[in-house]
Amino acid sequence: MDLICFTHINWNFVYQRPQHLLTRFAHYYRVFVIEEPLYNGPENFYEFTHEAENNIWLVTLHISKETPTSEISNTLKALIDSLINSMNIKQYLLWYYTPMALIYSDHLKPEIIVYDCMDELSAFKFAPPKIKEIEAKLLLRADVVFTGGYSLYEAKKHLHHNIHAFPSSIDKKHFMVARKPQKDPADQFNIPYPRIGFYGVLDERLDIQLLESMALSRPHWHFILIGPIIKIDADTLPKRDNIHYLGPKKYNELPGYLAGWDIAMLPFALNESTKYISPTKTPEYLAGGKPVISTSIKDVVTPYGQKGLVHIADTCEEFINAAEIIFKGNDKDKWLHKVDEFLENISWNLTWHQMSALIDEALQSKLLPNKNKIKSLV
């Protein structure tokens, strides 16, 4: 059994849920990650690179600029068929992160279809107009559906008979390194304390006004933001002496930056694009031993806010009050003990095992009438 994944996120953009899960599946069979097509080629072709250490095959589909719009879908289908034939892919699982890929993959005959609905993509800036319509078709075809959080599960649970919530998980060992004293990275070394930091994509989900208000209200506090800027004009980000944009960093660099912060923040705007998000960085910050302040994102309030693991603040005044409480440092050991108890039963390994079991159940149920059953995926 091979796995073919269609994703809207470039594999080397930000290391997150797809990488955590698919690299674990790749221990057992080949994983082909097909990224969104590029319409920039002199001709129609596909290319791939093999990440031998992960057993991941990264596939890029190139469409000629001269290809008529009416022929794009069939051209993409032909490229995928060519890939399947050349790589001798016989029995395979289809794994979708973007419903839009169904347009050029609906002719395929997989053993099973998985839809890992990581986000409500229709609410994101520049979302394709027909994404909801195409997602409805994918939900009809999928054998099992996962959601990236509980709020997204609640919004979609009536749309599929075999849907399960899998909120953000954690690689504890990786981020607990941030609890140890260490030298600051060079571009953070000279930033004064106290430091309040954020890492992630800087896009329409960031509450720019809240960030600027906090920086103006506390000019001696320093706000550090790490990550790529996409879908928004960089000139719209607030420019203050105490706001520091350090750009994107590699996944293995993040604990080193996190170690140098006093507080980690989730300054998300409360809008359609954040209505169903379940930020992976919440448990990562906590694993790093950092107090966290977040706006009232549903999947942060429940469970993190309700359990007293994260401070919830939506206004500048509330944020500053929460930060000042943290700076006093009362009962930090007690709080950290609660954090570790909560994180004890959360891991990407556990998430992967649970997903694998559900996929096996769906596969066996689908093949029950067939005497020639396929062995479990794992």
Side-chain angles (χ1 to χ4, degrees), residues 274-287:
T274 61
K275 188 175 181 179
Y276 301 113
I277 63 172
S278 176
T280 304
K281 56 189 65 62
T282 312
E284 291 174 351
Y285 288 163
L286 293 174

Side-chain angles (χ1 to χ4, degrees), residues 196 207 209-211 214 221 223 263-270 292-298 300-301 304-306 309-326:
I196 301 174
D207 192 331
Q209 293 182 339
L210 176 61
L211 177 63
M214 293 187 298
W221 293 2
F223 299 86
I263 296 172
M265 62 177 173
L266 295 167
F268 287 115
L270 301 178
V292 182
I293 306 175
S294 173
T295 51
S296 54
I297 299 300
K298 288 182 181 179
V300 178
V301 174
Y304 299 98
Q306 291 181 350
L309 306 177
V310 169
H311 294 261
I312 305 298
D314 288 324
T315 67
C316 177
E317 183 180 5
E318 291 172 348
F319 192 101
I320 288 171
N321 288 341
E324 289 178 339
I325 291 172
I326 291 170

